[in-house]
Tab-separated table of all heavy atoms in Angstrom:
chain	number	residue	atom	x	y	z
A	40	ASP	N	58.707	17.173	1.344
A	40	ASP	CA	58.362	16.033	2.207
A	40	ASP	C	57.273	15.181	1.541
A	40	ASP	O	56.086	15.278	1.887
A	40	ASP	CB	57.877	16.567	3.561
A	40	ASP	CG	57.666	15.449	4.573
A	40	ASP	OD1	58.235	14.361	4.382
A	40	ASP	OD2	56.915	15.676	5.550
A	41	PRO	N	57.650	14.334	0.571
A	41	PRO	CA	56.640	13.536	-0.129
A	41	PRO	C	55.930	12.537	0.785
A	41	PRO	O	54.736	12.274	0.624
A	41	PRO	CB	57.410	12.805	-1.226
A	41	PRO	CG	58.825	13.189	-1.103
A	41	PRO	CD	58.979	14.136	0.035
A	42	ALA	N	56.624	11.986	1.743
A	42	ALA	CA	55.990	11.022	2.660
A	42	ALA	C	54.937	11.713	3.512
A	42	ALA	O	53.874	11.142	3.789
A	42	ALA	CB	57.047	10.366	3.542
A	43	GLY	N	55.192	12.944	3.917
A	43	GLY	CA	54.221	13.702	4.704
A	43	GLY	C	52.958	14.002	3.902
A	43	GLY	O	51.854	13.942	4.426
A	44	VAL	N	53.133	14.299	2.620
A	44	VAL	CA	51.973	14.565	1.758
A	44	VAL	C	51.147	13.290	1.605
A	44	VAL	O	49.905	13.326	1.682
A	44	VAL	CB	52.424	15.112	0.389
A	44	VAL	CG1	51.259	15.212	-0.566
A	44	VAL	CG2	53.092	16.463	0.546
A	45	LEU	N	51.810	12.164	1.380
A	45	LEU	CA	51.082	10.893	1.245
A	45	LEU	C	50.356	10.546	2.540
A	45	LEU	O	49.211	10.067	2.506
A	45	LEU	CB	52.044	9.772	0.862
A	45	LEU	CG	52.597	9.831	-0.561
A	45	LEU	CD1	53.611	8.703	-0.787
A	45	LEU	CD2	51.490	9.747	-1.582
A	46	ARG	N	50.991	10.779	3.667
A	46	ARG	CA	50.365	10.514	4.960
A	46	ARG	C	49.130	11.406	5.133
A	46	ARG	O	48.068	10.938	5.570
A	46	ARG	CB	51.359	10.771	6.093
A	46	ARG	CG	50.865	10.316	7.436
A	46	ARG	CD	51.869	10.535	8.568
A	46	ARG	NE	53.259	10.343	8.184
A	46	ARG	CZ	54.190	11.302	8.210
A	46	ARG	NH1	53.888	12.512	8.593
A	46	ARG	NH2	55.435	11.039	7.843
A	47	THR	N	49.258	12.683	4.772
A	47	THR	CA	48.134	13.615	4.895
A	47	THR	C	46.968	13.196	3.994
A	47	THR	O	45.806	13.231	4.405
A	47	THR	CB	48.588	15.042	4.531
A	47	THR	OG1	49.704	15.392	5.340
A	47	THR	CG2	47.469	16.038	4.726
A	48	VAL	N	47.297	12.776	2.770
A	48	VAL	CA	46.246	12.328	1.839
A	48	VAL	C	45.573	11.068	2.374
A	48	VAL	O	44.334	10.933	2.325
A	48	VAL	CB	46.833	12.102	0.428
A	48	VAL	CG1	45.844	11.382	-0.475
A	48	VAL	CG2	47.247	13.416	-0.187
A	49	ALA	N	46.348	10.134	2.912
A	49	ALA	CA	45.783	8.888	3.453
A	49	ALA	C	44.880	9.172	4.648
A	49	ALA	O	43.773	8.615	4.752
A	49	ALA	CB	46.901	7.926	3.842
A	50	ILE	N	45.327	10.042	5.544
A	50	ILE	CA	44.514	10.377	6.717
A	50	ILE	C	43.227	11.074	6.293
A	50	ILE	O	42.140	10.777	6.805
A	50	ILE	CB	45.325	11.237	7.715
A	50	ILE	CG1	46.419	10.384	8.361
A	50	ILE	CG2	44.429	11.850	8.773
A	50	ILE	CD1	47.405	11.169	9.207
A	51	SER	N	43.340	11.972	5.314
A	51	SER	CA	42.140	12.663	4.821
A	51	SER	C	41.154	11.674	4.210
A	51	SER	O	39.943	11.770	4.432
A	51	SER	CB	42.528	13.715	3.780
A	51	SER	OG	43.383	14.667	4.342
A	52	ALA	N	41.669	10.704	3.444
A	52	ALA	CA	40.794	9.705	2.827
A	52	ALA	C	40.105	8.857	3.891
A	52	ALA	O	38.909	8.543	3.782
A	52	ALA	CB	41.593	8.825	1.874
A	53	ILE	N	40.825	8.480	4.932
A	53	ILE	CA	40.245	7.673	6.008
A	53	ILE	C	39.159	8.459	6.745
A	53	ILE	O	38.075	7.930	7.017
A	53	ILE	CB	41.338	7.184	6.982
A	53	ILE	CG1	42.216	6.145	6.289
A	53	ILE	CG2	40.733	6.605	8.251
A	53	ILE	CD1	43.460	5.765	7.061
A	54	VAL	N	39.435	9.727	7.031
A	54	VAL	CA	38.442	10.557	7.729
A	54	VAL	C	37.199	10.739	6.872
A	54	VAL	O	36.063	10.617	7.362
A	54	VAL	CB	39.057	11.922	8.121
A	54	VAL	CG1	37.986	12.898	8.558
A	54	VAL	CG2	40.090	11.749	9.208
A	55	ILE	N	37.378	10.976	5.577
A	55	ILE	CA	36.228	11.138	4.682
A	55	ILE	C	35.424	9.842	4.612
A	55	ILE	O	34.187	9.865	4.617
A	55	ILE	CB	36.706	11.591	3.284
A	55	ILE	CG1	37.187	13.042	3.356
A	55	ILE	CG2	35.601	11.447	2.254
A	55	ILE	CD1	37.866	13.534	2.098
A	56	ALA	N	36.105	8.685	4.567
A	56	ALA	CA	35.396	7.402	4.520
A	56	ALA	C	34.594	7.168	5.795
A	56	ALA	O	33.451	6.696	5.751
A	56	ALA	CB	36.396	6.267	4.302
A	57	ILE	N	35.161	7.506	6.953
A	57	ILE	CA	34.444	7.331	8.220
A	57	ILE	C	33.231	8.240	8.283
A	57	ILE	O	32.134	7.807	8.675
A	57	ILE	CB	35.395	7.579	9.411
A	57	ILE	CG1	36.410	6.446	9.516
A	57	ILE	CG2	34.620	7.715	10.714
A	57	ILE	CD1	37.507	6.688	10.511
A	58	VAL	N	33.380	9.489	7.864
A	58	VAL	CA	32.254	10.435	7.882
A	58	VAL	C	31.169	9.955	6.925
A	58	VAL	O	29.974	9.988	7.257
A	58	VAL	CB	32.745	11.859	7.537
A	58	VAL	CG1	31.583	12.784	7.264
A	58	VAL	CG2	33.611	12.407	8.655
A	59	TYR	N	31.561	9.484	5.742
A	59	TYR	CA	30.582	8.980	4.774
A	59	TYR	C	29.830	7.775	5.336
A	59	TYR	O	28.608	7.678	5.197
A	59	TYR	CB	31.291	8.600	3.472
A	59	TYR	CG	30.391	7.978	2.448
A	59	TYR	CD1	29.508	8.757	1.711
A	59	TYR	CD2	30.403	6.602	2.216
A	59	TYR	CE1	28.664	8.183	0.771
A	59	TYR	CE2	29.576	6.022	1.292
A	59	TYR	CZ	28.712	6.818	0.562
A	59	TYR	OH	27.881	6.241	-0.347
A	60	PHE	N	30.554	6.858	5.974
A	60	PHE	CA	29.933	5.681	6.564
A	60	PHE	C	28.930	6.081	7.643
A	60	PHE	O	27.811	5.556	7.699
A	60	PHE	CB	31.008	4.770	7.150
A	60	PHE	CG	30.469	3.547	7.824
A	60	PHE	CD1	29.959	2.506	7.084
A	60	PHE	CD2	30.453	3.447	9.214
A	60	PHE	CE1	29.457	1.374	7.694
A	60	PHE	CE2	29.956	2.323	9.832
A	60	PHE	CZ	29.459	1.285	9.079
A	61	LEU	N	29.318	7.019	8.512
A	61	LEU	CA	28.414	7.462	9.575
A	61	LEU	C	27.175	8.149	9.013
A	61	LEU	O	26.059	7.920	9.489
A	61	LEU	CB	29.151	8.395	10.542
A	61	LEU	CG	30.220	7.731	11.417
A	61	LEU	CD1	30.954	8.786	12.232
A	61	LEU	CD2	29.598	6.685	12.313
A	62	ILE	N	27.351	8.969	8.005
A	62	ILE	CA	26.206	9.677	7.414
A	62	ILE	C	25.252	8.688	6.761
A	62	ILE	O	24.032	8.801	6.906
A	62	ILE	CB	26.692	10.744	6.417
A	62	ILE	CG1	27.334	11.904	7.181
A	62	ILE	CG2	25.548	11.251	5.546
A	62	ILE	CD1	27.964	12.951	6.303
A	63	THR	N	25.782	7.701	6.037
A	63	THR	CA	24.891	6.724	5.403
A	63	THR	C	24.173	5.872	6.444
A	63	THR	O	23.018	5.488	6.235
A	63	THR	CB	25.660	5.813	4.430
A	63	THR	OG1	26.750	5.201	5.125
A	63	THR	CG2	26.169	6.596	3.244
A	64	ARG	N	24.819	5.569	7.563
A	64	ARG	CA	24.159	4.808	8.631
A	64	ARG	C	23.026	5.608	9.256
A	64	ARG	O	21.956	5.074	9.540
A	64	ARG	CB	25.158	4.429	9.726
A	64	ARG	CG	25.988	3.260	9.382
A	64	ARG	CD	25.119	2.049	9.300
A	64	ARG	NE	25.955	0.869	9.321
A	64	ARG	CZ	25.492	-0.339	9.196
A	64	ARG	NH1	24.224	-0.530	9.051
A	64	ARG	NH2	26.299	-1.357	9.207
A	65	VAL	N	23.261	6.890	9.500
A	65	VAL	CA	22.249	7.729	10.135
A	65	VAL	C	21.065	7.940	9.201
A	65	VAL	O	19.913	7.847	9.615
A	65	VAL	CB	22.868	9.086	10.568
A	65	VAL	CG1	21.799	10.072	10.969
A	65	VAL	CG2	23.848	8.873	11.702
A	66	THR	N	21.329	8.192	7.928
A	66	THR	CA	20.229	8.442	7.003
A	66	THR	C	19.489	7.163	6.634
A	66	THR	O	18.326	7.221	6.266
A	66	THR	CB	20.727	9.127	5.722
A	66	THR	OG1	21.734	8.317	5.119
A	66	THR	CG2	21.276	10.502	6.017
A	67	SER	N	20.137	6.000	6.721
A	67	SER	CA	19.451	4.761	6.366
A	67	SER	C	18.476	4.316	7.449
A	67	SER	O	17.607	3.493	7.208
A	67	SER	CB	20.459	3.643	6.094
A	67	SER	OG	21.086	3.263	7.294
A	68	SER	N	18.585	4.874	8.645
A	68	SER	CA	17.664	4.495	9.711
A	68	SER	C	16.401	5.357	9.704
A	68	SER	O	15.614	5.301	10.625
A	68	SER	CB	18.357	4.620	11.071
A	68	SER	OG	18.663	5.970	11.339
A	69	ASN	N	16.217	6.153	8.665
A	69	ASN	CA	15.009	6.975	8.562
A	69	ASN	C	13.788	6.104	8.298
A	69	ASN	O	13.889	4.931	7.971
A	69	ASN	CB	15.157	8.003	7.432
A	69	ASN	CG	16.046	9.152	7.833
A	69	ASN	OD1	16.343	9.336	9.002
A	69	ASN	ND2	16.485	9.903	6.855
A	70	SER	N	12.625	6.699	8.410
A	70	SER	CA	11.382	5.947	8.220
A	70	SER	C	11.195	5.515	6.773
A	70	SER	O	10.458	4.584	6.503
A	70	SER	CB	10.194	6.796	8.663
A	70	SER	OG	10.098	7.959	7.850
A	71	GLY	N	11.847	6.175	5.824
A	71	GLY	CA	11.730	5.795	4.427
A	71	GLY	C	12.204	4.373	4.189
A	71	GLY	O	11.617	3.624	3.424
A	72	ASN	N	13.264	3.993	4.863
A	72	ASN	CA	13.783	2.643	4.738
A	72	ASN	C	12.803	1.644	5.339
A	72	ASN	O	12.587	0.567	4.799
A	72	ASN	CB	15.144	2.542	5.413
A	72	ASN	CG	15.869	1.261	5.059
A	72	ASN	OD1	15.524	0.603	4.086
A	72	ASN	ND2	16.852	0.908	5.840
A	73	LYS	N	12.185	2.002	6.466
A	73	LYS	CA	11.209	1.115	7.096
A	73	LYS	C	9.985	0.954	6.204
A	73	LYS	O	9.432	-0.136	6.080
A	73	LYS	CB	10.809	1.665	8.462
A	73	LYS	CG	11.929	1.613	9.474
A	73	LYS	CD	11.520	2.232	10.785
A	73	LYS	CE	12.677	2.275	11.752
A	73	LYS	NZ	12.353	2.986	12.979
A	74	GLU	N	9.554	2.058	5.589
A	74	GLU	CA	8.406	1.984	4.686
A	74	GLU	C	8.729	1.104	3.488
A	74	GLU	O	7.901	0.302	3.050
A	74	GLU	CB	8.016	3.376	4.216
A	74	GLU	CG	7.409	4.242	5.279
A	74	GLU	CD	7.160	5.651	4.796
A	74	GLU	OE1	7.318	5.910	3.589
A	74	GLU	OE2	6.810	6.492	5.629
A	75	ASN	N	9.927	1.251	2.970
A	75	ASN	CA	10.339	0.450	1.825
A	75	ASN	C	10.379	-1.028	2.195
A	75	ASN	O	9.939	-1.884	1.428
A	75	ASN	CB	11.717	0.918	1.342
A	75	ASN	CG	12.032	0.423	-0.043
A	75	ASN	OD1	11.172	-0.061	-0.758
A	75	ASN	ND2	13.294	0.533	-0.422
A	76	ARG	N	10.881	-1.334	3.381
A	76	ARG	CA	10.935	-2.717	3.844
A	76	ARG	C	9.517	-3.276	4.012
A	76	ARG	O	9.236	-4.417	3.631
A	76	ARG	CB	11.692	-2.779	5.164
A	76	ARG	CG	12.110	-4.174	5.535
A	76	ARG	CD	12.938	-4.242	6.794
A	76	ARG	NE	13.843	-3.127	6.961
A	76	ARG	CZ	14.044	-2.481	8.102
A	76	ARG	NH1	13.416	-2.852	9.189
A	76	ARG	NH2	14.883	-1.471	8.181
A	77	ALA	N	8.602	-2.469	4.563
A	77	ALA	CA	7.225	-2.924	4.748
A	77	ALA	C	6.547	-3.150	3.398
A	77	ALA	O	5.791	-4.114	3.221
A	77	ALA	CB	6.446	-1.897	5.561
A	78	PHE	N	6.832	-2.282	2.439
A	78	PHE	CA	6.255	-2.451	1.100
A	78	PHE	C	6.749	-3.738	0.453
A	78	PHE	O	5.965	-4.495	-0.124
A	78	PHE	CB	6.604	-1.255	0.218
A	78	PHE	CG	6.170	-1.431	-1.203
A	78	PHE	CD1	4.837	-1.300	-1.541
A	78	PHE	CD2	7.080	-1.735	-2.183
A	78	PHE	CE1	4.422	-1.467	-2.843
A	78	PHE	CE2	6.683	-1.907	-3.484
A	78	PHE	CZ	5.354	-1.776	-3.823
A	79	LYS	N	8.044	-4.014	0.567
A	79	LYS	CA	8.587	-5.234	-0.024
A	79	LYS	C	7.995	-6.474	0.630
A	79	LYS	O	7.689	-7.458	-0.043
A	79	LYS	CB	10.113	-5.253	0.110
A	79	LYS	CG	10.805	-4.303	-0.846
A	79	LYS	CD	12.295	-4.366	-0.692
A	79	LYS	CE	12.994	-3.401	-1.629
A	79	LYS	NZ	14.454	-3.425	-1.466
A	80	GLN	N	7.816	-6.416	1.951
A	80	GLN	CA	7.242	-7.557	2.659
A	80	GLN	C	5.793	-7.775	2.218
A	80	GLN	O	5.371	-8.912	1.980
A	80	GLN	CB	7.312	-7.329	4.159
A	80	GLN	CG	6.833	-8.503	4.971
A	80	GLN	CD	6.937	-8.254	6.463
A	80	GLN	OE1	7.267	-7.159	6.876
A	80	GLN	NE2	6.657	-9.250	7.253
A	81	ALA	N	5.014	-6.702	2.085
A	81	ALA	CA	3.632	-6.829	1.645
A	81	ALA	C	3.561	-7.362	0.215
A	81	ALA	O	2.687	-8.171	-0.117
A	81	ALA	CB	2.935	-5.475	1.740
A	82	ALA	N	4.487	-6.919	-0.631
A	82	ALA	CA	4.504	-7.405	-2.017
A	82	ALA	C	4.829	-8.895	-2.052
A	82	ALA	O	4.233	-9.646	-2.833
A	82	ALA	CB	5.527	-6.616	-2.827
A	83	ARG	N	5.766	-9.335	-1.205
A	83	ARG	CA	6.099	-10.754	-1.148
A	83	ARG	C	4.903	-11.585	-0.703
A	83	ARG	O	4.606	-12.637	-1.277
A	83	ARG	CB	7.266	-10.980	-0.195
A	83	ARG	CG	8.549	-11.318	-0.913
A	83	ARG	CD	9.654	-11.669	0.049
A	83	ARG	NE	10.383	-10.449	0.389
A	83	ARG	CZ	10.567	-9.978	1.608
A	83	ARG	NH1	10.130	-10.632	2.651
A	83	ARG	NH2	11.218	-8.855	1.817
A	84	LYS	N	4.198	-11.109	0.350
A	84	LYS	CA	3.022	-11.836	0.834
A	84	LYS	C	1.962	-11.932	-0.242
A	84	LYS	O	1.342	-12.974	-0.446
A	84	LYS	CB	2.445	-11.145	2.063
A	84	LYS	CG	3.183	-11.415	3.336
A	84	LYS	CD	2.468	-10.745	4.492
A	84	LYS	CE	3.151	-10.956	5.802
A	84	LYS	NZ	2.451	-10.288	6.898
A	85	SER	N	1.734	-10.814	-0.926
A	85	SER	CA	0.726	-10.791	-1.974
A	85	SER	C	1.093	-11.750	-3.100
A	85	SER	O	0.239	-12.470	-3.624
A	85	SER	CB	0.588	-9.363	-2.516
A	85	SER	OG	-0.313	-9.338	-3.574
A	86	LYS	N	2.368	-11.777	-3.461
A	86	LYS	CA	2.807	-12.656	-4.532
A	86	LYS	C	2.633	-14.121	-4.136
A	86	LYS	O	2.161	-14.933	-4.931
A	86	LYS	CB	4.277	-12.375	-4.852
A	86	LYS	CG	4.772	-13.040	-6.100
A	86	LYS	CD	6.180	-12.595	-6.425
A	86	LYS	CE	6.662	-13.220	-7.703
A	86	LYS	NZ	8.020	-12.793	-8.036
A	87	LYS	N	2.991	-14.458	-2.877
A	87	LYS	CA	2.808	-15.830	-2.402
A	87	LYS	C	1.334	-16.219	-2.420
A	87	LYS	O	0.969	-17.312	-2.843
A	87	LYS	CB	3.361	-15.980	-0.983
A	87	LYS	CG	4.847	-16.097	-0.910
A	87	LYS	CD	5.286	-16.284	0.532
A	87	LYS	CE	6.781	-16.313	0.672
A	87	LYS	NZ	7.210	-16.439	2.072
A	88	ARG	N	0.488	-15.300	-1.953
A	88	ARG	CA	-0.953	-15.570	-1.899
A	88	ARG	C	-1.501	-15.779	-3.305
A	88	ARG	O	-2.300	-16.676	-3.565
A	88	ARG	CB	-1.646	-14.394	-1.213
A	88	ARG	CG	-3.060	-14.692	-0.794
A	88	ARG	CD	-3.695	-13.524	-0.065
A	88	ARG	NE	-2.927	-13.120	1.103
A	88	ARG	CZ	-2.502	-11.892	1.335
A	88	ARG	NH1	-2.762	-10.946	0.484
A	88	ARG	NH2	-1.815	-11.599	2.413
A	89	PHE	N	-1.060	-14.952	-4.244
A	89	PHE	CA	-1.531	-15.044	-5.615
A	89	PHE	C	-1.057	-16.341	-6.259
A	89	PHE	O	-1.822	-17.008	-6.952
A	89	PHE	CB	-1.041	-13.832	-6.410
A	89	PHE	CG	-1.666	-13.719	-7.765
A	89	PHE	CD1	-3.004	-13.370	-7.904
A	89	PHE	CD2	-0.918	-13.959	-8.901
A	89	PHE	CE1	-3.573	-13.262	-9.151
A	89	PHE	CE2	-1.484	-13.861	-10.148
A	89	PHE	CZ	-2.815	-13.514	-10.282
A	90	MET	N	0.196	-16.717	-6.010
A	90	MET	CA	0.713	-17.955	-6.571
A	90	MET	C	-0.013	-19.161	-5.983
A	90	MET	O	-0.297	-20.127	-6.672
A	90	MET	CB	2.223	-18.072	-6.307
A	90	MET	CG	3.059	-17.021	-7.022
A	90	MET	SD	2.932	-17.124	-8.796
A	90	MET	CE	3.982	-18.525	-9.075
A	91	LYS	N	-0.343	-19.104	-4.693
A	91	LYS	CA	-1.047	-20.193	-4.042
A	91	LYS	C	-2.452	-20.342	-4.629
A	91	LYS	O	-2.921	-21.438	-4.888
A	91	LYS	CB	-1.131	-19.929	-2.532
A	91	LYS	CG	-1.524	-21.148	-1.722
A	91	LYS	CD	-1.628	-20.833	-0.257
A	91	LYS	CE	-0.284	-20.487	0.339
A	91	LYS	NZ	-0.351	-20.272	1.796
A	92	LYS	N	-3.126	-19.214	-4.878
A	92	LYS	CA	-4.470	-19.260	-5.447
A	92	LYS	C	-4.439	-19.819	-6.863
A	92	LYS	O	-5.312	-20.577	-7.260
A	92	LYS	CB	-5.096	-17.869	-5.455
A	92	LYS	CG	-5.619	-17.441	-4.120
A	92	LYS	CD	-6.309	-16.118	-4.221
A	92	LYS	CE	-6.832	-15.677	-2.877
A	92	LYS	NZ	-7.508	-14.382	-2.950
Side-chain angles (χ1 to χ4, degrees):
D40 187 20
V44 172
L45 289 177
R46 189 178 324 117
T47 305
V48 169
I50 290 172
S51 300
I53 290 170
V54 167
I55 289 172
I57 290 171
V58 168
Y59 176 76
F60 178 74
L61 291 175
I62 288 175
T63 55
R64 280 294 195 184
V65 169
T66 57
S67 70
S68 66
N69 284 346
S70 63
N72 193 17
K73 292 177 185 174
E74 290 175 8
N75 196 13
R76 195 176 324 137
F78 174 75
K79 286 181 181 179
Q80 184 179 6
R83 252 186 270 123
K84 281 183 181 179
S85 176
K86 191 174 182 180
K87 282 182 184 178
R88 194 178 303 126
F89 190 71
M90 294 298 283
K91 195 182 293 184
K92 282 184 180 180

